[in-house]
Amino acid sequence: MAQLLFVFLYALTGALFAAETPLTAKQILQKMVTAMEVSNYQGTVVFLKNDRLEAMKYFHTVDKDREQERLVSLNSPQREIIRNSDEITCLFKLTQQVIVDHRPYEHSFIVDVPKNLDDLDASYQFEVVGEEDVAMLPSYVVAIQPKDEFRYIRKIWIAKEQFLPMKAEVYDFAGTVLEQVVFTEMQVNKQPPSKVNVSAKLSGLPSQTGAEVVDSSSQASFEVTALPQGFKQIFFSRKPLHKSDQPVDHLLLSDGFASVSVYLESKKADTTPESHMPEGIHSVGAINSMSRTLADSQLTVLGEVPVSTVKFIAEGVKLRNPAP
């Protein structure tokens, strides 16, 4: 009898211990990724980016496994941004201008977190560093600490009950906040709100499309000879930028959190030289860039990464040898 009682108490203790085992940082982030894909929620979100502060209404809708995100500005300039899958539509209400772009590499206006976090172990360390309330919701605080100088420090606040992102911050190595996204209030809806019919909303309005010719990066007129550990080539396109018809090669690089764009455009046919960025290093908030001349072209490397990263990548870009 005593032996049976011991077995029962041992099993009960083990069950209680298992129930109290805290979630790891990776488990919390993975739950967040799932919750963002399947939840219908909305709220007011404040963005601090490029040294500018902006408040917007945010809506996330899931219907038959199809997601739609929508941002509506609360202050001037009035605009609405809608993401359906990889298509981003921006409507400026005052001018009635419409811009349509395709971003197959972007999954959220709030925070992008890769599904397979194990692939980032060589570049980042993940840790739960506390719990705080955000918009009156108890939240985990997850720190994402880089293991080198090529990426920024990040923190994400994740609601303990809903596992939705409530706040995200990007810091430099001195601990200064460079970017911030924070919900001031949020509601999770049991029933999905009506999705916005983008075609009907844009009917009759003039639009500027970002329709692009997507090629293999091997067709780019340049090659990146060296990358910081963890960065990979994600997406390549060739399309006009600015108001010129001159095509620009664009290669997107990412380590899962941080992204860097490499642009190369010819100066030969350019009649608006003022559209080019001056050579050298430029910084705005968390965004750093470096521009330099390659033969008759201008190279610009730009991203939400430290100066050392854009410099390292830019100095390793070379023009491809023209085909004989």
Side-chain angles (χ1 to χ4, degrees):
M1 182 68 178
Q3 186 177 8
L4 288 175
L5 180 61
F6 174 80
V7 171
F8 173 77
L9 290 174
Y10 179 83
L12 180 61
T13 302
L16 290 173
F17 177 78
E20 295 174 358
T21 300
L23 294 170
T24 67
K26 284 185 181 179
Q27 288 172 334
I28 294 171
L29 289 170
Q30 287 164 347
K31 284 179 174 289
M32 183 194 76
V33 171
T34 301
M36 291 174 68
E37 291 177 343
V38 303
S39 303
N40 296 291
Y41 58 105
Q42 64 188 60
T44 303
V45 63
V46 178
F47 294 87
L48 172 63
K49 288 196 174 187
N50 301 334
D51 294 334
R52 295 183 59 188
L53 193 66
E54 181 169 19
M56 306 186 83
K57 291 294 292 184
Y58 174 82
F59 304 87
H60 182 275
T61 305
V62 183
D63 184 23
K64 298 178 181 178
D65 296 327
R66 294 182 62 86
E67 291 182 74
Q68 182 183 86
E69 274 189 309
R70 188 159 63 100
L71 285 170
V72 180
S73 59
L74 297 178
N75 304 299
S76 298
Q78 290 285 316
R79 68 192 190 283
E80 186 171 352
I81 309 169
I82 302 170
R83 180 179 70 85
N84 281 309
S85 186
D86 65 348
E87 183 178 271
I88 310 292
T89 304
C90 184
L91 168 63
F92 292 88
K93 296 186 178 180
L94 180 63
T95 63
Q96 295 294 287
Q97 180 187 15
V98 178
I99 298 176
V100 181
D101 198 7
H102 296 269
R103 302 180 191 173
Y105 46 83
E106 184 177 289
H107 306 291
S108 172
F109 292 143
I110 305 300
V111 60
D112 256 340
V113 173
K115 290 186 177 181
N116 190 354
L117 294 169
D118 291 337
D119 290 345
L120 279 66
D121 283 342
S123 303
Y124 292 98
Q125 177 179 326
F126 303 89
E127 184 181 2
V128 181
V129 294
E131 297 181 8
E132 296 178 6
D133 289 356
V134 181
M136 300 182 69
L137 293 177
S139 302
Y140 297 106
V141 186
V142 175
I144 304 164
Q145 185 79 28
K147 295 183 177 181
D148 57 34
E149 74 280 8
F150 290 116
R151 50 212 104 217
Y152 287 130
I153 304 163
R154 298 169 188 271
K155 283 185 182 178
I156 304 177
W157 284 252
I158 302 161
K160 295 181 67 175
E161 182 178 351
Q162 299 87 353
F163 284 98
L164 291 170
M166 300 300 300
K167 180 179 175 181
E169 291 185 339
V170 178
Y171 307 84
D172 64 15
F173 298 115
T176 303
V177 177
L178 300 174
E179 287 192 357
Q180 183 184 80
V181 180
V182 58
F183 277 96
T184 59
E185 54 88 19
M186 177 190 284
Q187 304 91 41
V188 179
N189 307 309
K190 293 183 179 179
Q191 297 296 327
S194 300
K195 294 180 72 174
V196 173
N197 186 330
V198 180
S199 298
K201 185 177 274 286
L202 304 182
S203 178
L205 296 178
S207 65
Q208 174 185 337
T209 180
E212 44 194 47
V213 179
V214 180
D215 303 300
S216 165
S217 60
S218 63
Q219 297 182 28
S221 54
F222 63 88
E223 58 181 329
V224 182
T225 62
L227 287 173
Q229 178 176 284
F231 280 89
K232 300 176 182 178
Q233 299 184 8
I234 303 298
F235 177 80
F236 172 72
S237 69
R238 179 175 289 137
K239 64 175 183 178
L241 293 179
H242 317 301
K243 297 180 180 180
S244 168
D245 292 331
Q246 181 72 20
V248 177
D249 280 12
H250 172 213
L251 178 64
L252 183 78
L253 310 168
S254 177
D255 70 351
F257 284 109
S259 61
V260 178
S261 287
V262 183
Y263 297 97
L264 188 72
E265 54 185 317
S266 173
K267 292 183 176 181
K268 287 184 177 180
D270 185 32
T271 58
T272 57
E274 65 276 7
S275 65
H276 289 299
M277 186 176 293
E279 292 198 19
I281 299 290
H282 307 275
S283 302
V284 181
I287 305 298
N288 287 296
S289 66
M290 178 176 175
S291 293
R292 69 187 184 97
T293 298
L294 282 179
D296 294 320
S297 298
Q298 183 184 45
L299 171 75
T300 300
V301 178
L302 178 149
E304 190 186 78
V305 290
V307 169
S308 58
T309 311
V310 294
K311 189 172 185 292
F312 182 92
I313 295 171
E315 291 178 346
V317 174
K318 296 181 178 179
L319 295 175
R320 293 186 187 274
N321 293 326

